[in-house]
Amino acid sequence: MTIRKAVVSGSFYPNDKDEILKYIEHFNSVDLKLNGFENIKAIIVPHAGYVYSGFTANLAYKLACKKSFKRVIIIGVSHRVFLNGASVALYDEYETPLGNLKIDKDFSQKLINKFDFLNFDAECEFEHSTETQMPFIRHYFEDIKIVEIVYGDIDYKDLEKVIEDILKNDENLIVISSDLSHFYTQEEAQKLDNICLNAIEKQNLELFNHCEACGKTGLESIIDFSIKNKLKTKVLHYCTSANFSNDKSRVVGYTSALIGD
């Protein structure tokens, strides 16, 4: 059995089960009720350390888990490895401190077989944009199967083809992992990030040309898909690292959002 090891536990999130559960319990001390999304198809979540972006991500997972899914497909940008196209993980399981998640290898291999810009690159085992999502998924969806897609140099329209194929099945949930602007002052970041938030909420692809996000390709793909399929989008939460560090001189922006009908 092959296992994708948890490599950023203890840094981006705790490596202890009880500590993660304490985080989630704390995040859930604020209740969020949202009307109008009976059928969530995708969520947008950040991928920083839980102390910075965990509350923001947790809101989306808490709402998405109210629907029953067969598998969760996590799509995140590669930070460490240069990729042409994207890598689809073909391990048997994905390690988390809350228990391992089963990877749907059959589904993953079918995606690789269908799209010539997909393959499996084992060097992506150090990617945090997808790994930081796994404890949330294990907690909220328990024994669900997952698919991990880490993308590099790829056109958003190609990635959108994969999303379209995945969402033909209403039992699939897509997770788009992206942080927003990096290392501006709080004031500058809020101005830039507000453009991205409007791009998501108002479903305006052109606005993505005027904002920054490390996972912007994924954002463009899911928003274009939502436009073409007449889906709704809703931004749930926005913050920056300054909300927690109190350092407003060099911040990173985070948001979470829903896509559905």
Side-chain angles (χ1 to χ4, degrees):
M1 177 181 292
T2 56
I3 298 175
R4 197 290 204 180
K5 293 292 185 179
V7 297
V8 296
S9 62
S11 54
F12 279 74
Y13 59 89
N15 57 15
D16 178 78
K17 175 181 178 179
D18 291 338
E19 288 298 315
I20 292 177
L21 295 178
K22 285 180 182 178
Y23 264 105
I24 293 175
E25 182 181 4
H26 174 67
F27 297 151
N28 287 334
S29 63
V30 177
D31 193 21
L32 178 69
K33 295 180 180 179
L34 186 69
N35 297 322
F37 276 81
E38 297 180 1
N39 185 23
I40 294 173
K41 295 181 178 294
I43 60 175
I44 295 168
V45 290
H47 53 241
Y50 283 15
V51 68
Y52 296 109
S53 68
F55 175 83
T56 304
N58 184 73
L59 290 173
Y61 284 109
K62 186 177 181 181
L63 290 169
C65 77
K66 294 179 180 180
K67 177 185 172 183
S68 178
F69 294 99
K70 184 176 181 179
R71 66 180 65 83
V72 179
I73 297 86
I74 307 95
I75 301 175
V77 61
S78 176
H79 288 81
R80 297 173 179 269
V81 180
F82 176 80
L83 297 171
N84 281 311
S87 172
V88 184
L90 292 178
Y91 303 98
D92 294 302
E93 294 185 356
Y94 207 112
E95 183 181 46
T96 90
L98 302 183
N100 290 2
L101 285 160
K102 291 183 179 179
I103 292 177
D104 194 331
K105 288 179 69 175
D106 289 340
F107 189 89
S108 299
Q109 188 62 61
K110 286 177 182 178
L111 288 177
I112 292 173
N113 294 343
K114 186 166 188 176
F115 298 99
D116 59 8
F117 50 82
L118 300 181
N119 57 27
F120 170 47
D121 190 328
E123 291 188 30
C124 290
E125 65 184 355
F126 295 102
E127 182 50 53
H128 70 270
S129 70
T130 46
E131 183 184 327
T132 51
Q133 312 310 325
M134 302 304 173
F136 284 117
I137 294 168
R138 184 65 177 83
H139 176 73
Y140 283 108
F141 300 96
E142 297 183 353
D143 295 325
I144 200 166
K145 290 185 177 181
I146 65 157
V147 174
E148 180 195 42
I149 300 175
V150 177
Y151 66 86
D153 185 11
I154 188 172
D155 190 279
Y156 81 86
K157 292 182 180 179
D158 283 333
L159 189 57
E160 185 183 349
K161 293 175 185 176
V162 180
I163 290 173
E164 181 181 13
D165 188 72
I166 290 169
L167 290 181
K168 288 177 182 177
N169 186 338
D170 199 46
E171 294 181 306
N172 292 333
L173 172 70
I174 283 183
V175 174
I176 300 292
S177 176
S178 178
D179 290 341
L180 300 182
S181 65
H182 283 58
F183 310 137
Y184 294 92
T185 66
Q186 174 83 341
E187 183 178 359
E188 292 168 332
Q190 288 175 334
K191 288 179 181 178
L192 269 176
D193 293 344
N194 191 54
I195 299 172
C196 263
L197 299 181
N198 281 321
I200 294 168
E201 185 98 10
K202 297 179 180 180
Q203 298 177 317
N204 186 328
L205 283 176
E206 196 276 334
L207 288 178
F208 282 118
N209 296 323
H210 307 287
C211 71
E212 294 184 17
C214 61
K216 188 159 68 172
T217 299
L219 297 178
E220 290 173 309
S221 299
I222 196 63
I223 295 304
D224 195 34
F225 177 85
S226 71
I227 293 169
K228 292 176 180 176
N229 290 274
K230 299 180 179 178
L231 300 176
K232 296 181 295 185
T233 57
K234 176 65 177 177
V235 171
L236 296 174
H237 190 255
Y238 167 74
C239 66
T240 74
S241 55
N243 290 78
F244 308 95
S245 69
N246 293 319
D247 180 359
K248 297 183 179 181
S249 65
R250 200 166 181 260
V251 310
V252 179
Y254 314 113
T255 193
S256 57
L258 303 180
I259 296 95
D261 52 24

